[in-house]
């Protein structure tokens, strides 16, 4: 195993060990960092096997629900093949009584890889966790603002 593979593996293992006791707000904070650094393997490690992503406002050409870790990994990889996220702004975290649920408002900033065109997109996400792993993400966004729909 190369040094870079070894350090990625060690990083992923320490992330896994750390996130078991995190609530939804802490998990989502880690998600932001992992997306921005491109460490999708650690992001996938934070997902429960039966994880679900829902997209209530998805246009007819896009899925409204993706179930299961493997399918979500493929879905996210397909997005990351099209766009690169640079950072998030306007982040507001709304804590719920249940520590395993959080609502997050945010704006993502990034670049469409094929064109180099920058974008910003506003989201509201409901995130549910269980034992420090992502169990549900309900992602509300305006499909008319999607960088890939223009």
């Amino acid at each position: 195993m190369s040094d870079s593979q070894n350090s990625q593996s060690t990083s992923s293992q320490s992330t896994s060990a750390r996130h078991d006791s995190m609530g939804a707000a802490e998990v989502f904070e880690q998600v932001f960092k992992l997306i921005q650094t491109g460490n999708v393997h650690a992001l996938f490690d934070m997902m429960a096997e039966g994880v679900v992503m829902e997209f209530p406002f998805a246009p007819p050409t896009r899925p409204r629900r993706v179930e299961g870790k493997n399918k979500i990994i493929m879905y996210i990889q397909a997005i990351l093949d099209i766009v690169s996220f640079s950072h998030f702004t306007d982040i507001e975290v709304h804590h719920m009584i249940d520590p395993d649920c959080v609502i997050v408002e945010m704006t993502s900033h990034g670049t469409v890889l094929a064109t180099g065109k920058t974008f910003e997109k506003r989201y509201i996400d409901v995130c549910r966790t269980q034992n420090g792993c992502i169990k549900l993400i309900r992602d509300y966004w305006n499909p008319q603002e999607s960088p890939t729909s223009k």
Side-chain angles (χ1 to χ4, degrees):
M1 182 181 308
S2 74
D3 287 342
S4 67
Q5 287 173 320
N6 190 30
S7 79
Q8 285 177 348
S9 175
T10 303
S11 172
S12 178
Q13 289 169 356
S14 61
T15 299
S16 177
R18 270 197 332 258
H19 72 72
D20 286 345
S21 63
M22 292 190 296
E26 294 84 5
V27 169
F28 220 82
E29 184 178 318
Q30 291 298 312
V31 167
F32 284 131
K33 290 176 185 174
L34 295 172
I35 290 172
Q36 288 175 208
T37 62
N39 189 351
V40 292
H41 296 293
L43 172 63
F44 300 149
D45 187 44
M46 296 183 76
M47 293 181 187
E49 284 303 318
V51 63
V52 173
M53 288 186 79
E54 296 177 345
F55 309 96
F57 300 133
T61 59
R62 306 266 305 264
R64 289 189 180 255
R65 183 177 173 99
V66 180
E67 297 182 49
K69 190 174 187 174
N70 290 334
K71 288 182 182 178
I72 289 174
I73 288 170
M74 290 187 308
Y75 180 84
I76 291 173
Q77 275 300 154
I79 291 170
L80 295 176
D81 288 343
I82 297 169
V83 299
S84 171
F85 294 96
S86 60
H87 63 286
F88 295 88
T89 60
D90 307 318
I91 300 169
E92 292 186 47
V93 178
H94 304 280
H95 297 264
M96 304 290 106
I97 291 172
D98 178 354
D100 285 327
C101 183
V102 67
I103 296 174
V104 180
E105 297 179 67
M106 64 194 148
T107 301
S108 68
H109 301 264
T111 305
V112 178
L113 298 174
T115 64
K117 184 177 177 181
T118 60
F119 68 87
E120 80 178 41
K121 186 171 158 186
R122 189 83 177 138
Y123 301 84
I124 296 175
D125 281 358
V126 176
C127 181
R128 290 198 164 277
T129 60
Q130 183 175 39
N131 299 324
C133 291
I134 300 166
K135 183 177 174 181
L136 167 76
I137 295 178
R138 188 170 296 124
D139 194 29
Y140 294 91
W141 49 274
N142 181 349
Q144 295 174 336
E145 293 178 354
S146 180
T148 59
S149 68
K150 296 179 180 177

